[in-house]
Amino acid sequence: MKPSTVPASTPSLRQSSGRYLQTKWKGLIIAVPYLWLVLFFLIPFFIVIKISLAESIIASPPFSSLLNWTEDGALQLSLLFDNYAYLWEDELYYKTYLNSIKVAFICTLICLFIGYPMAYGIVRATPTQRNILLILVILPFWTSFLLRVYAWMGILADQGTLNNLLIWFGLIDEPIRMLYTPFAVYLGIIYSYLPFMILPLYANIEKLDMNLLEAAAALGAKPLITFLTVTLPMTLPGIIAGSLLVFIPATGEYVIPDLLGGGNSFMIGKLLYSEFNNNHDWPVAAAVAVALLILLVLPMMLYQNVQARQVGVKT
Amino acid sequence: MSTDLNDTHRPWLDPKQEPFIKIRGVTKRFGDFTAVDNVDLDIYKSELFCLLGGSGCGKSTLLRMLAGFETPTAGNIFIDGEAVANIPAYARPVNMMFQSYALFPHMTVEKNIAYGLKRDGLPKKEITRRVAEMIELVELGDFRQRKPNQLSGGQRQRVALARALVKQPKVLLLDEPLAALDKRLREHTQYELMNIQDQLGVTFIVVTHDQEEAMTLSTRIAVMDQGRFIQTGTPTEIYESPDSRFVANFIGSANIFQGHVITSTADHVVVRSAQDDTLQFTVRHSAELAQNTKVWVAVRPEKIRMLKDAPTTPGPNQLAGSVHDIGYLGRLSNYKIKLDNGKMIDVTHPNQTRPTSGRHLVDWDERVYLHWDSASAIVLTH
Ligand SMILES: Nc1ncnc2c1ncn2[C@@H]1O[C@H](COP(=O)(O)OP(=O)(O)O)[C@@H](O)[C@H]1O
Ligand SMILES: [Mg+2]
């Protein structure tokens, strides 16, 4: 630890008044994001919860009010948990949840296995190469996400680029069905979310002191052992950050399963969409959304926990 | 059988001794920059060898080639008779202590020290025992469960040393092991390092840019500059018999007079100052030099005697001037003497008597007479 250079003298009057101003400003600055979150996150969230506890009716809006006046003039609060029970009872819902988590999990794992060596390679490249490689990772963000998914439709279609290419090379005689299969969904999600894995990993691996790896080697650790005992534990925060950045949005992904998976893929985002727009069952749709959120908040809290522990380790 | 005590302590003088580490014609280039330039070196078992040189002269690069982190562009390294070119770092019988210590931040002191033993697959009991021994040796008993960021600089240094030594490597490479410590702790740790080295008998190769540290620690020193060895020898040899102006100036300080040889006999040379015709130096010197050779006479500041009275008989190695500046350091004082011919001379004198009424041995602008023995100066040819 570097020796502290803060003089131990008592703060002057000016300093302490400066500090007072600072705390006042600090409070204000912190208030802004809080206000933002309350206004645009917490309040809408409570509205969604409210809808999820209501009854579906044919009206506008298509759900009942929670507060009603009874005939004898008392205020009545009617909370309906039927929608949640329904999610539990109907196989479709929890199977879709499980499927979403499975897809997101596998995609996260594959992203990690592709992204880790890539991030490591970028860190180890020369400074000029490094900048080019980083730009290449970020470049896809400059075109619309939707456009890129549509591009994949063109590539994967029966008469698409990939099949034509394979036939032209004589590797296959008939087009392989790729579009509207789970494969296309996996591919689309991995492709789209890979940068979210690479960037936090890059930021983390870049901070890794290469002397540590040399120290391990000097102590007799072969490269694989060095990786397992030093590199991996030291880059765990990056692995967790990247994994959550892929896993959480991938679980709720709607566009990719809809466009690339067609009718064959059941992911929770798609179900949500059809409850809302096709069935017009807002309360059930809201319950689906709330359940999804709870499902995703859990790993998030886990991450917070691990990070807090990491802070204790890394000064 | 020769059982001369001196020779067991100075294996480099004994031609029958096989060096433990042999560096032969080793060069390292980064692009077109030559960091280490065709270096030859022998290091013997149980030596505490210092590589001394300014920043960027290639010390760390040479050390890293010994450890196996860099591959020589040319040349060979032999450790214990074996060419190590194809041996990866993890399989070499050397260990390294890094300048930054490179402790594993996610492991406790104990785990850091045990790391190398675990890699050898030793039984758990054996590991526990040796780690405990090592922790005792470096006096870290109270800190075994701490993480590196909960330790002071000196404690980290000792963890790094313990971690590197616990495997009982044949050679320990130390890259500026004390540079991150403050002066007092550094001096204390120097002696600790020497004691530990003495106890374990491991060959130490220490890189440092601090000449005092090198002098205190080492059996021998190699002075490096721009990737080359300028001089190799014991601290005494390097200090008392530097063979170039660079070494004379780099190790301690020296007053250097340029001149030409007038006469040269078997036991002394007479040199006339190039700056001042009336000035002549007599230097005891073993090598004979041709007349008129351009040479430099070097005298260390502490070897010059300073008197207030003019010498009764004129002779060689006598100068006169006035006190230009005094640097009082407590146990000794540095004087800058301006000679009559304008040249500045450094003189160091111990303050053997306590100055009364705040007055020093000599005062500013006082006239003084300087003189040194002909054996105290040396003649340099480059
Ligand atoms: N990996 C490297 N790539 C390019 N230049 C290097 C590399 N390592 C060291 N150098 C250069 O080699 C020279 C010697 O470095 P080093 O051995 O670290 O010096 P020092 O004597 O201070 O330990 C320096 O000029 C340094 O910039
Ligand atoms: Mg260095």
Side-chain angles (χ1 to χ4, degrees):
Chain A
M1 210 166 284
K2 279 176 200 142
S4 162
T5 50
V6 179
S9 63
T10 48
S12 72
L13 207 65
R14 242 179 91 170
Q15 268 180 324
S16 56
S17 75
R19 209 162 282 158
Y20 166 72
L21 261 177
Q22 233 179 10
T23 45
K24 212 172 131 188
W25 276 108
K26 232 190 215 161
L28 237 140
I29 288 165
I30 290 171
V32 172
Y34 267 105
L35 210 70
W36 179 274
L37 284 175
V38 168
L39 220 59
F40 297 110
F41 181 78
L42 212 56
I43 293 176
F45 179 58
F46 277 119
I47 294 173
V48 172
I49 290 183
K50 186 190 102 142
I51 296 172
S52 76
L53 297 173
E55 198 179 350
S56 180
I57 52 174
I58 300 174
S60 179
F63 52 87
S64 64
S65 165
L66 296 188
L67 293 174
N68 290 306
W69 294 103
T70 54
E71 276 158 28
D72 33 330
L75 194 62
Q76 186 197 30
L77 179 69
S78 51
L79 298 178
L80 212 65
F81 288 95
D82 285 7
N83 300 319
Y84 289 97
Y86 178 57
L87 293 189
W88 184 246
E89 280 153 17
D90 194 330
E91 225 183 37
L92 173 74
Y93 291 98
Y94 77 76
K95 275 200 168 157
T96 311
Y97 273 119
L98 283 184
N99 192 49
S100 298
I101 286 174
K102 187 188 99 186
V103 171
F105 183 78
I106 292 174
C107 288
T108 305
L109 220 58
I110 295 175
C111 276
L112 182 62
F113 279 110
I114 302 173
Y116 200 100
M118 280 177 82
Y120 201 89
I122 295 173
V123 170
R124 285 298 189 89
T126 64
T128 25
Q129 284 175 334
R130 194 182 310 160
N131 285 335
I132 293 170
L133 291 171
L134 276 176
I135 287 172
L136 286 177
V137 170
I138 301 167
L139 209 60
F141 290 128
W142 291 11
T143 46
S144 139
F145 168 66
L146 213 55
L147 212 63
R148 282 182 281 136
V149 178
Y150 273 117
W152 274 111
M153 289 177 78
I155 293 170
L156 297 176
D158 288 355
Q159 302 302 320
T161 323
L162 193 55
N163 270 320
N164 286 344
L165 215 62
L166 289 175
I167 290 171
W168 188 71
F169 274 122
L171 292 171
I172 50 171
D173 300 324
E174 279 181 20
I176 304 172
R177 183 151 188 83
M178 286 183 282
L179 191 60
Y180 305 133
T181 64
F183 166 74
V185 177
Y186 282 105
L187 187 69
I189 292 178
I190 291 165
Y191 160 79
S192 303
Y193 288 103
L194 191 58
F196 294 104
M197 181 62 86
I198 293 176
L199 293 176
L201 275 174
Y202 169 79
N204 193 245
I205 295 172
E206 205 221 344
K207 279 188 293 181
L208 181 68
D209 180 4
M210 290 301 156
N211 273 344
L212 293 182
L213 309 187
E214 289 181 348
L219 290 165
K222 295 191 174 106
L224 180 67
I225 301 292
T226 302
F227 179 77
L228 293 177
T229 54
V230 180
T231 314
L232 209 57
M234 293 299 292
T235 52
L236 198 61
I239 293 172
I240 292 173
S243 297
L244 285 173
L245 281 180
V246 173
F247 181 78
I248 290 172
T251 311
E253 182 56 51
Y254 161 70
V255 173
I256 295 169
D258 190 50
L259 293 184
L260 300 182
N264 301 325
S265 84
F266 289 101
M267 283 187 69
I268 208 69
K270 245 190 102 184
L271 198 66
L272 198 70
Y273 178 86
S274 65
E275 286 299 346
F276 245 112
N277 282 334
N278 304 346
N279 296 355
H280 287 286
D281 194 340
W282 285 30
V284 167
V288 170
V290 171
L292 179 65
L293 190 89
I294 290 167
L295 224 62
L296 294 183
V297 158
L298 280 177
M300 197 67 170
M301 279 162 68
L302 205 78
Y303 171 57
Q304 286 278 333
N305 207 345
V306 171
Q307 241 201 351
R309 260 191 297 154
Q310 278 294 323
V311 168
V313 172
K314 296 191 75 188
T315 318
Chain B
M1 258 214 161
S2 152
T3 45
D4 187 358
L5 187 75
N6 275 342
D7 276 1
T8 60
H9 283 260
R10 296 181 204 160
W12 52 91
L13 295 179
D14 181 358
K16 288 190 295 261
Q17 282 273 350
E18 183 63 16
F20 192 64
I21 293 172
K22 285 192 282 189
I23 298 173
R24 292 287 178 269
V26 165
T27 296
K28 178 69 190 180
R29 287 191 204 94
F30 295 109
D32 11 314
F33 177 77
T34 306
V36 173
D37 191 1
N38 194 17
V39 157
D40 291 301
L41 184 64
D42 287 335
I43 297 174
Y44 295 83
K45 214 175 178 82
S46 301
E47 266 204 90
L48 206 166
F49 195 94
C50 267
L51 295 171
L52 175 64
S55 177
C57 72
K59 309 179 295 288
S60 296
T61 305
L62 184 58
L63 211 61
R64 292 170 57 77
M65 286 192 281
L66 285 167
F69 301 137
E70 307 276 3
T71 318
T73 314
N76 285 306
I77 296 172
F78 302 86
I79 299 175
D80 206 4
E82 199 178 352
V84 294
N86 294 319
I87 303 178
Y90 62 82
R92 292 194 185 188
V94 302
N95 221 326
M96 180 142 166
M97 189 179 139
F98 292 82
Q99 188 170 358
S100 61
Y101 306 146
L103 299 177
F104 304 124
H106 57 297
M107 296 182 198
T108 60
V109 167
E110 240 172 5
K111 293 225 168 87
N112 261 287
I113 298 175
Y115 188 88
L117 296 176
K118 278 191 193 148
R119 303 289 82 80
D120 286 353
L122 292 180
K124 254 208 172 98
K125 259 195 190 148
E126 170 85 357
I127 294 178
T128 317
R129 187 180 61 77
R130 276 167 69 174
V131 168
E133 253 174 44
M134 214 62 215
I135 284 180
E136 195 171 330
L137 183 70
V138 295
E139 295 165 17
L140 281 168
D142 297 339
F143 306 98
R144 55 182 80 224
Q145 293 304 333
R146 297 241 187 131
K147 295 264 175 75
N149 68 337
Q150 298 166 313
L151 299 175
S152 73
Q155 289 160 351
R156 285 184 205 183
Q157 194 263 356
R158 281 181 285 158
V159 178
L161 186 64
R163 186 181 69 175
L165 281 173
V166 74
K167 282 190 78 171
Q168 301 169 346
K170 292 179 183 169
V171 183
L172 182 61
L173 311 169
L174 302 98
D175 194 351
E176 312 247 0
L178 309 175
L181 307 181
D182 60 57
K183 192 174 183 319
R184 189 165 282 274
L185 190 58
R186 192 160 64 222
E187 280 168 8
H188 172 74
T189 313
Q190 274 172 13
Y191 290 100
E192 233 176 44
L193 212 57
M194 288 161 74
N195 285 336
I196 288 174
Q197 194 263 346
D198 205 38
Q199 268 181 49
L200 303 180
V202 178
T203 307
F204 274 31
I205 303 177
V206 180
V207 156
T208 179
H209 66 266
D210 181 334
Q211 49 116 348
E212 274 185 34
E213 189 175 298
M215 302 273 293
T216 316
L217 286 175
S218 34
T219 52
R220 283 192 304 152
I221 298 172
V223 181
M224 273 187 94
D225 185 40
Q226 296 182 1
R228 290 165 198 260
F229 286 164
I230 307 298
Q231 191 177 355
T232 306
T234 63
T236 315
E237 281 164 7
I238 297 271
Y239 188 78
E240 304 293 355
S241 321
D243 60 10
S244 64
R245 281 176 295 154
F246 177 85
V247 175
N249 274 319
F250 187 76
I251 314 289
S253 58
N255 298 297
I256 292 181
F257 304 88
Q258 196 193 322
H260 295 278
V261 175
I262 303 175
T263 50
S264 174
T265 66
D267 75 359
H268 71 273
V269 282
V270 180
V271 175
R272 178 187 286 141
S273 166
Q275 202 183 19
D276 185 349
D277 272 354
T278 61
L279 212 55
Q280 282 195 1
F281 307 104
T282 305
V283 183
R284 272 210 212 146
H285 191 267
S286 53
E288 281 196 49
L289 293 160
Q291 211 170 2
N292 250 342
T293 316
K294 186 178 176 186
V295 292
W296 290 268
V297 174
V299 201
R300 298 282 186 199
E302 75 280 4
K303 296 196 165 58
I304 301 177
R305 277 194 288 274
M306 184 168 64
L307 300 165
K308 290 204 224 187
D309 304 312
T312 46
T313 50
N317 309 333
Q318 287 181 355
L319 301 167
S322 55
V323 178
H324 185 75
D325 225 333
I326 304 175
Y328 175 69
L329 299 182
R331 64 194 162 117
L332 49 83
S333 293
N334 289 325
Y335 303 91
K336 288 217 175 291
I337 311 296
K338 190 170 189 175
L339 297 185
D340 294 342
N341 62 25
K343 188 176 166 72
M344 282 292 185
I345 299 288
D346 289 319
V347 179
T348 301
H349 258 235
N351 292 319
Q352 281 181 319
T353 51
R354 201 166 152 265
T356 44
S357 60
R359 290 178 57 88
H360 291 286
L361 178 71
V362 292
D363 226 327
W364 273 269
D365 293 329
E366 204 169 331
R367 189 149 182 83
V368 289
Y369 300 89
L370 309 179
H371 164 244
W372 62 85
D373 293 341
S374 56
S376 291
I378 43 172
V379 170
L380 304 170
T381 52
H382 60 276

